[in-house]
């Protein structure tokens, strides 16, 4: 049992089950490739991010927006029964996140890991929050209110600490990611990440399983009980790829899958509470298993150089697409259909605009913002106790 993070959230379970978590592929770099058995890029992961964000967009544009009326009165009855399961894009994102974060932690200390995460997340987040706030202020829709204080609070990732709501309820998954990163940071700082991975893994699964019985919301948010199986499965798939199979890893992966399916079937009941939809629990269970299978199959996928470059670009675009799509999409679809534009044409126009904005942010704004943030943060990081010259900027933002 879980409580929603925000009153406007839409996720079965802990909150708005909407999308980015993680997040679009951070871009594996050559130095990580040299330390692991992995190539510099895994195009399969980029492609899965595209699948995940499309599923989330389908959930919002074809199901949640029409059902709640936030995107106008137009409904898509022939698609809603399928689009309702688009929230599984979140599960796919979180499983991918486990893999990528395990990869990102290779060869880094806790501070280097935190730096990489900050550079990866905040520039695009700040731009997307600002753009979303500007569009909502222009639209002046009572169903999607925004204030300057709310916008500023959202720039911290944690607006609720300042008594504000998310500018877009889809940002709940960013907070979930940050909690995950926080635990990884502590595990790296204490040395447990490398010295006692089995203890961490089994302990996390035990806490997750216990909360199936307790249903404690605060505990769920603290230890990510509802998502432990997904994050851990991603980590284990990384370790299996780099270190090879072992009885312990395979047993933990099976347990992670079982615990996650159990959580997913409990949380799916929120679809009934929020939207009056009774999900098919067999479909829920199969989709959870499909998420794990897709990630396992995508890791060894190889493509030609041209296809890999295209997949990389598409993968990087999924982060801004996730952050921008929900409320801006709702405004766009409501305005377009109110102007008499055919609903399918309105979807096409909104999709094209989202594609263009995501590409501009991923190709130009994010790299520039990352460089600027690094220039500001690295001198401060270098002054921390125990940092060696140049250590703040070592590594990449994978």
């Amino acid at each position: 049992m879980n409580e929603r993070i925000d009153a406007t959230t839409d996720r079965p379970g802990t909150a708005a089950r909407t999308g980015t978590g993680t997040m679009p592929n951070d871009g594996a770099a050559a130095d990580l490739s040299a330390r692991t058995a992995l190539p510099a890029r895994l195009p399969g992961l980029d492609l899965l991010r595209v699948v995940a964000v499309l599923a989330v967009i389908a959930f919002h544009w074809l199901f949640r927006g029409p059902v709640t009326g936030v995107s106008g009165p137009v409904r898509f009855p022939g698609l809603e029964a399928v689009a309702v399961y688009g929230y599984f894009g979140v599960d796919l994102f979180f499983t991918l996140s486990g893999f990528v974060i395990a990869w990102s932690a290779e060869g880094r200390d806790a501070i280097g890991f935190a730096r990489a995460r900050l550079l990866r997340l905040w520039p695009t987040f700040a731009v997307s929050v600002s753009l979303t706030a500007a569009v909502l202020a222009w639209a002046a829709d009572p169903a999607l209110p925004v204030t300057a204080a709310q916008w500023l609070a959202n720039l911290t990732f944690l607006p609720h600490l300042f008594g504000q709501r998310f500018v877009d309820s889809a940002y709940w998954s960013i907070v979930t990611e940050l909690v995950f990163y926080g635990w990884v940071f502590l595990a790296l700082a204490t040395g447990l990440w490398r010295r006692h991975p089995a203890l961490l893994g089994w302990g996390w699964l035990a806490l997750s399983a216990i909360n199936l019985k307790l249903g404690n919301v605060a505990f769920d948010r603290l230890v990510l009980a509802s998502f432990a199986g997904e994050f851990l499965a991603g980590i284990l798939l990384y370790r299996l790829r780099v270190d090879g199979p072992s009885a312990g890893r395979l047993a933990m992966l099976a347990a992670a899958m079982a615990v996650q399916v159990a959580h997913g079937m409990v949380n799916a009941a929120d679809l009934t509470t929020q939207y009056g939809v009774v999900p098919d629990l067999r479909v829920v269970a199969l989709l959870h298993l499909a998420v794990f299978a897709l990630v396992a199959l995508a890791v060894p996928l190889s493509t030609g150089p041209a296809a890999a470059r295209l997949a990389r670009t598409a993968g990087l675009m999924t982060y801004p697409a996730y952050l921008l799509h929900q409320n801006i999409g709702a405004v766009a679809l409501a305005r377009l259909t109110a102007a008499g534009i055919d609903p399918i044409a309105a979807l096409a126009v909104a999709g094209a605009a989202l594609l263009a904005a995501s590409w501009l942010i991923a190709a130009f704004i994010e790299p520039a913002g990352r460089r600027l943030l690094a220039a500001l943060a690295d001198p401060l990081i270098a002054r921390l106790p125990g940092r060696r010259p140049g250590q703040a900027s070592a590594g990449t933002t994978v």
Side-chain angles (χ1 to χ4, degrees):
M1 182 188 304
N2 296 296
E3 178 182 279
R4 297 184 300 170
I5 291 175
D6 186 91
T8 60
T9 57
D10 52 51
R11 174 205 176 272
T14 55
R17 185 77 158 178
T18 55
T20 169
T22 214
M23 294 211 158
N25 197 330
D26 294 305
D31 62 336
L32 282 179
S33 178
R35 290 196 296 270
T36 69
L38 299 177
R41 292 291 300 185
L42 293 177
L45 301 189
D46 288 309
L47 294 175
L48 282 188
R49 282 170 173 77
V50 174
V51 172
V53 81
L54 288 176
V56 171
I57 291 171
F59 178 78
H60 283 124
W61 289 10
L62 301 178
F63 174 73
R64 181 181 183 270
V67 168
T68 61
V70 71
S71 59
V74 176
R75 299 287 295 266
F76 301 92
L79 299 174
E80 288 175 7
V82 176
V84 65
Y85 295 105
Y87 72 82
F88 270 91
V90 175
D91 300 279
L92 184 50
F93 272 131
F94 285 165
T95 306
L96 289 167
S97 181
F99 189 102
V100 171
I101 292 310
W103 194 356
S104 178
E106 288 284 354
R108 286 195 174 106
D109 63 3
I111 298 298
F113 170 79
R115 173 190 179 273
R117 293 297 90 206
L118 176 65
L119 295 185
R120 174 63 185 117
L121 293 188
W122 194 78
T124 292
F125 185 79
V127 171
S128 300
V129 166
S130 300
L131 184 56
T132 300
V135 171
L136 296 185
W138 167 80
D141 185 340
L144 298 171
V146 68
T147 66
Q150 183 183 7
W151 164 64
L152 289 172
N154 272 258
L155 293 176
T156 69
F157 292 117
L158 301 171
H160 292 77
L161 294 181
F162 304 93
Q164 299 292 333
R165 296 155 69 92
F166 290 123
V167 167
D168 188 315
S169 62
Y171 300 164
W172 75 270
S173 66
I174 308 301
V175 176
T176 300
E177 288 281 345
L178 290 174
V179 175
F180 175 47
Y181 299 165
W183 285 115
V184 174
F185 176 90
L186 290 175
L188 286 168
T190 58
L192 292 174
W193 180 265
R194 295 183 176 89
R195 290 199 301 266
H196 300 292
L199 176 65
L200 289 176
W202 285 114
W204 197 10
L205 282 180
L207 294 175
S208 179
I210 288 171
N211 210 49
L212 279 169
K213 179 66 174 178
L214 297 179
N216 186 281
V217 175
F219 185 73
D220 186 278
R221 293 179 183 176
L222 178 64
V223 304
L224 303 181
S226 289
F227 310 110
E230 292 168 347
F231 286 121
L232 185 57
I235 294 170
L236 289 166
L237 289 171
Y238 171 79
R239 295 259 55 103
L240 288 167
R241 177 66 174 174
V242 172
D243 300 325
S246 70
R249 293 189 192 102
L250 292 173
M252 191 182 297
L253 179 60
M257 293 168 63
V259 169
Q260 192 58 52
V261 169
H263 271 288
M265 295 179 76
V266 170
N267 293 338
D270 285 0
L271 285 172
T272 306
T273 302
Q274 296 180 40
Y275 308 112
V277 174
V278 179
D280 187 329
L281 294 183
R282 295 168 300 179
V283 174
V284 170
L286 287 173
L287 285 173
H288 273 294
L289 296 177
V291 163
F292 300 130
L294 284 172
V295 177
L297 292 172
V299 171
L301 180 67
S302 61
T303 64
R309 286 192 297 271
L310 182 60
R312 177 181 185 275
T313 299
L316 292 172
M317 289 168 59
T318 57
Y319 183 30
Y322 170 72
L323 295 172
L324 295 172
H325 82 277
Q326 182 179 210
N327 283 355
I328 292 179
V331 169
L333 292 172
R335 294 299 178 96
L336 290 170
T337 53
I341 296 177
D342 177 79
I344 300 301
L347 288 171
V349 171
L354 178 63
L355 189 68
S358 300
W359 178 76
L360 287 170
I361 292 173
F364 300 104
I365 298 175
E366 180 184 349
R370 188 182 295 182
R371 289 192 296 270
L372 177 60
L373 184 58
L376 295 172
D378 285 349
L380 299 176
I381 295 173
R383 296 177 185 175
L384 294 175
R387 304 302 290 175
R388 299 187 303 274
Q391 189 175 6
S393 59
T396 69
T397 54
V398 103

